[in-house]
Amino acid sequence: MRKYQQLLLVVVSLVSVVALLFYHHEYHRLRYVLEVLNFFGKPAENLQCPTINETSLSQRVNGFSSPVPVWVPAGDNHYIYSAFWERNNVIIVATGPANGAFAGRNSYQCEIWLEGKDEPIPGRVHASIIEGQKKKKVGFSGYTLSCEIEKMISVVPEEVTIWRMQDKLPAKVTLPIHHFNSKHSGGDPATSMAICVLPDELQRISSSALISFVSYHSLLGVTDFILYGGNRYHHVAYELQKHGASVSIIPWNFPLSGDGRAELERDCRSRGWPATGNIVVLSLNEFIVPVMHNGLLAMLNDLDAGRKATSRFQFSTQLFCTNIPDDPGAEPSWPMFMHKTYYDPAAKTGVVNIYRPGAVSANRPIELGTYPVSPKIAAVHKFANCDIPPEASADSFQYQPEIRRFVSELMKSGLLNIQVKPRT
């Protein structure tokens, strides 16, 4: 009996020793892991993927892109695209001849339709040329049409119908009215910013370039991206949305030659409000680069504290040449725009405006409170081929590496590391 007790004691002792050694091993393993996390940070912190409720994200994406707009003819050389409900008026984005469109013998009439009502509310169309365009006597211009009604209504109309008054058999055109319900916007408009992206049909920019564009501007605080004419990016937008990015796509079948930037910019301002309080139109090869600030919203608030005096900020554009050698310090894994740090100071590239649409009257032309932003504070970097004359020297270009301030955080971005499989 005593032998069995001694054997049992030996077995218990061996099990205790093995358990102690296992505990000792796991303890040091856990301690090592904690030390690594303490030094490098948690993996989720490095990914920097946006954290957003899936329902809120879906509401934002659909809120920007629905109902789907499309350019349709409304008369001889008159076209309309989209309609918005603003301040008891329906605002319509349109284009037409530069001389006399939507006025005089080309005057239009309108009526708006409420849900569940059999009779429309009559209105009168007032047309104004979209601000910022060069005055011209021939060609085409962008217009803002306002369907003005006398009756105050408390609900958002469903549709607007317009037609030319002089036509004996008028061809009435009806558009659905877009209205982003602020209750579903998912946040404070003052702390959000949207970029409307111009079509890139001529440049054919790659999917990875779109991902880099979204990743970089998300790092600077941009919350929403609206791609005009970006149908071939649907699969990329879907992957970005899965990682929490608000990316919407709407058609842009502009009926005339040119990109229709004035009309697109006008649509963008109305489409984003009231979900976002800061809106800008960019191409996929344009990047806003602050010199001192780490975020765009903080920069705008410093320039106009209290959001009282400015309805748009105007940034100069600098042309960075993609057909000159890369910066010697650039790493191969960096996105292309981080490789190019020399720009052509003689290039004429225009300006880019960031709008605060809540400060802009939508139904009549007004003088906008414009804040010209110095390039020492921020500028828009545009990456494209430069026309380099044979006699040009290195002194013809200026070195501007400010964008590389963000390369470390950008390379840790979870969005930048998205892999998009080719469509099959």
Side-chain angles (χ1 to χ4, degrees), residues 197 200 203-217 225 227 232-233 236 240 283-287 335-337 383 410 415-416 418 420:
V197 182
D200 75 318
Q203 301 180 59
R204 307 295 295 179
I205 291 178
S206 66
S207 298
S208 61
L210 171 59
I211 293 174
S212 298
F213 179 90
V214 172
S215 300
Y216 171 79
H217 287 101
F225 299 86
L227 276 61
R232 69 188 187 91
Y233 290 125
V236 187
L240 289 165
S283 296
L284 283 175
N285 63 337
E286 295 177 327
F287 295 74
M336 181 278 295
F337 62 90
F383 297 88
L410 179 64
L415 291 176
L416 187 66
I418 292 176
V420 179

Side-chain angles (χ1 to χ4, degrees), residues 49-50 52 54 57 61 234-247 414-415 418-421:
C49 288
I52 185 169
E54 290 186 8
L57 175 62
V61 171
H234 268 295
H235 64 301
V236 187
Y238 176 71
E239 291 295 330
L240 289 165
Q241 290 166 11
K242 288 199 303 185
H243 288 75
S246 171
V247 181
L415 291 176
I418 292 176
Q419 300 294 324
V420 179
K421 296 180 180 179

Side-chain angles (χ1 to χ4, degrees), residues 33-49:
V33 171
L34 291 175
E35 288 176 351
V36 170
L37 289 177
N38 184 56
F39 183 79
F40 290 102
K42 297 179 181 179
E45 292 176 351
N46 291 335
L47 286 176
Q48 293 185 351
C49 288

Side-chain angles (χ1 to χ4, degrees), residues 155-175:
V155 295
V156 178
E158 291 288 307
E159 296 176 324
V160 59
T161 300
I162 75 167
W163 64 94
R164 191 163 57 176
M165 295 172 60
Q166 74 159 10
D167 293 343
K168 295 181 179 179
L169 295 173
K172 294 187 175 183
V173 181
T174 300
L175 292 180

Side-chain angles (χ1 to χ4, degrees), residues 229-288:
N231 290 333
R232 69 188 187 91
Y233 290 125
H234 268 295
H235 64 301
V236 187
Y238 176 71
E239 291 295 330
L240 289 165
Q241 290 166 11
K242 288 199 303 185
H243 288 75
S246 171
V247 181
S248 307
I249 294 179
I250 59 176
W252 185 252
N253 60 323
F254 192 63
L256 307 172
S257 60
D259 59 10
R261 181 160 187 155
E263 292 89 337
L264 188 150
E265 195 162 297
R266 183 64 188 85
D267 178 90
C268 174
R269 278 164 36 196
S270 291
R271 188 168 299 278
W273 178 255
T276 179
N278 306 276
I279 296 175
V280 61
V281 174
L282 295 174
S283 296
L284 283 175
N285 63 337
E286 295 177 327
F287 295 74
I288 307 174

Side-chain angles (χ1 to χ4, degrees), residues 15 49 68 103 133 139 180 345 354 368 387 394 406:
V15 172
C49 288
V68 178
Q133 300 177 94
F180 202 126
I354 294 182
L368 297 172
D387 294 327
F406 304 99

